[in-house]
Amino acid sequence: MPEAPNPEASDAGTAAAQPRVLSGIQPTADSFHLGNYLGALRQWVAMQDTHEAFYCVVDLHAITVEHDPALLRRRTKVAAAQLLAMGIDPDRSAVFVQSHVPEHAELAWVLSCLTGFGEASRMTQFKDKSAKQGTSGTSVGLFTYPILQAADILLYTPEPDAGRALRVPVGEDQRQHLELTRTLAQRFNHRFGETFVLPDAHIPEGAAKITDLQEPGAKMSKSASSPQGIIDVLEEPGPMRKKIMRAVTDTGSEVVYDEEKKAGVTNLLRIYSALEGTSVPDLEARYAGSGYGQFKKDLAQVVLDTFTPIRERTLKLLDDEEHLDRLLARGAERASAVAVRTMETVRERVGFVGRGR
Ligand code: TYM
C-alpha cells in the first residue's frame, strides 16, 4: 500500500519543507531561570533539529512595564548570549531581537484593530499584573501585550496551503495568549481571506509550571518576592546549591510525589525528572528511605551539571560583543525576509494602498 504523503518528511529535510517554530522570551532579568529553561528553552533547542526556527528576545514586550534603558540594553545582550550558550545554533535558527524587525509592531497594530476590548480585558496575566501595579501604574502597552505576542507568532506563518505547521514552545502560563493568537488568526482569515496558519502551543508535560522553591504554590517567576525561590541559569554554584538545600519541603521525610500534600517535594521531583530524564516513580524508588537531605544534594548536582557549562559559554559570548551583534544582525536578516513578506500580504488584504515607485 502506498504511504500517505507526510509534508514534514518530504523535500529531504530542507528548511522550506519543515514545520516552523517561533518563540520569544523577555529580557527583563539578569538571567533566565529554571522555569524558563524547563518550561520553554529546552524545547527551543530540541525543536531546531526538526523545524525551521525563529527565536526572539522580545524587547518591545519588556518596555510594557517601567524600565531602565541601560539595563534593558544589557539584559537583551545577556539574553541572546544565553540562548546561544544553551545550544541554539545561529547557523540553523534565526536568533534575533524583536525591535530589529519593525513588522512586529506593525502587525500588532492591525491585530489590535481586530481585538475586542472585552476580549483583551479577560487576559489573566494582564489582570494579575495590573492588579499588583494599580491602574495609574499600568500602561496601555501592558494591556495590548498579548496582541503584540500574537503578531510575533503570526508574522512567521507558513503559506496556508503549504501544509506546514507553526508551533510555539511555551510554558503553561502562555496558554491563554496562544488561544487569543489562534482566535485572531481565524478572525483575520475569515474577514480578509486565508492568510495565517493557526499556531499550535507546544507545552511540555511535567515541566510546564515549575514553582517557587520557597512558595511551592506559586509559579517560579522573576517578579517573585524573594530571590531565594528562584534558580537562575547564570547563578554561581555556591548560592545555587544553598537555595536547593533550603528549598521548602513538607512535613515528613518521604520523597514522594503528591501535589496536594507535598507541593515542595513534588516540584523538586519534577525538576529532577525533567533534567535527568528519569521517571518520577524511578526517583521515588531511588530515594525511598533516604530522606530529603540526600535527595536535595543530588538534585543540586544535577542542576549544576546542567547550568555550569551554559554559564561559562554565556560569559565567553559576552566577552566578544561585536561577534554577538553580528550573529544577531544575521538572525534579524533571516527573520525580516519572512516578516516583510507576511506584512506585504497583510497590507494588501487589509486594503492599504501600495506605495508608488
Ligand atoms: P517570559 O519571558 O515570561 O517567559 C519565557 C518562557 O518561559 C516560560 N516560563 C515558565 N515555564 C515553566 N515554569 C515556570 N515557572 C515558567 N516561567 C516562565 C514561559 O511560559 C515562556 O514560554 N509572553 C512571553 C514572551 C513572548 C512570547 C512571544 C512567547 C513574547 N512573544 C511569542 C512565545 C511566542 C513571556 O512573557 O515569556
Side-chain angles (χ1 to χ4, degrees), residues 69-274:
L71 205 53
L72 175 61
R73 247 189 297 278
R74 179 73 197 152
R75 287 173 167 176
T76 302
K77 297 266 178 99
V78 177
Q82 284 175 94
L83 294 180
L84 298 166
M86 280 175 187
I88 307 263
D89 174 2
D91 288 332
R92 286 187 290 160
S93 305
V95 182
F96 65 103
V97 176
Q98 185 189 30
S99 66
H100 290 176
V101 184
E103 284 74 14
H104 286 248
E106 190 179 357
L107 182 57
W109 175 255
V110 174
L111 295 178
S112 72
C113 296
L114 293 180
T115 310
F117 191 85
E119 198 169 33
S121 310
R122 284 192 291 276
M123 295 293 113
T124 53
Q125 284 215 326
F126 170 75
K127 286 200 279 189
D128 292 349
K129 282 196 192 172
S130 58
K132 273 191 205 149
Q133 291 167 201
T135 322
S136 56
T138 300
S139 69
V140 174
L142 189 66
F143 184 61
T144 57
Y145 175 118
I147 305 171
L148 178 59
Q149 181 166 349
D152 295 341
I153 297 166
L154 296 178
L155 266 184
Y156 299 91
T157 182
E159 303 272 327
D161 54 9
R164 301 169 67 194
L166 176 60
R167 302 200 174 110
V168 187
V170 283
E172 178 61 40
D173 59 351
Q174 299 302 310
R175 191 184 288 279
Q176 197 188 27
H177 290 171
L178 261 293
E179 272 160 24
L180 176 71
T181 306
R182 288 173 65 89
T183 303
L184 293 178
Q186 242 163 344
R187 195 170 295 156
F188 188 101
N189 288 348
H190 183 70
R191 290 207 193 151
F192 303 117
E194 281 304 296
T195 306
F196 298 118
V197 165
L198 302 196
D200 296 312
H202 189 92
I203 299 174
E205 257 178 58
K209 187 181 170 192
I210 299 299
T211 62
D212 189 287
L213 299 189
Q214 291 300 317
E215 284 179 67
K219 180 180 83 166
M220 185 178 285
S221 154
K222 51 208 156 204
S223 55
S225 49
S226 149
Q228 296 314 311
I230 307 167
I231 296 289
D232 279 335
V233 172
L234 300 181
E235 189 130 26
E236 295 285 337
M240 193 184 283
R241 255 188 232 282
K242 259 192 204 146
K243 283 186 187 178
I244 294 174
M245 294 311 291
R246 289 179 188 165
V248 167
T249 30
D250 320 86
T251 47
S253 59
E254 295 288 291
V255 179
V256 287
Y257 192 98
D258 183 337
E259 257 172 287
E260 278 180 15
K261 295 198 194 108
K262 284 177 169 273
V265 174
T266 296
N267 188 40
L268 297 182
L269 274 168
R270 281 201 188 115
I271 295 169
Y272 204 147
S273 165

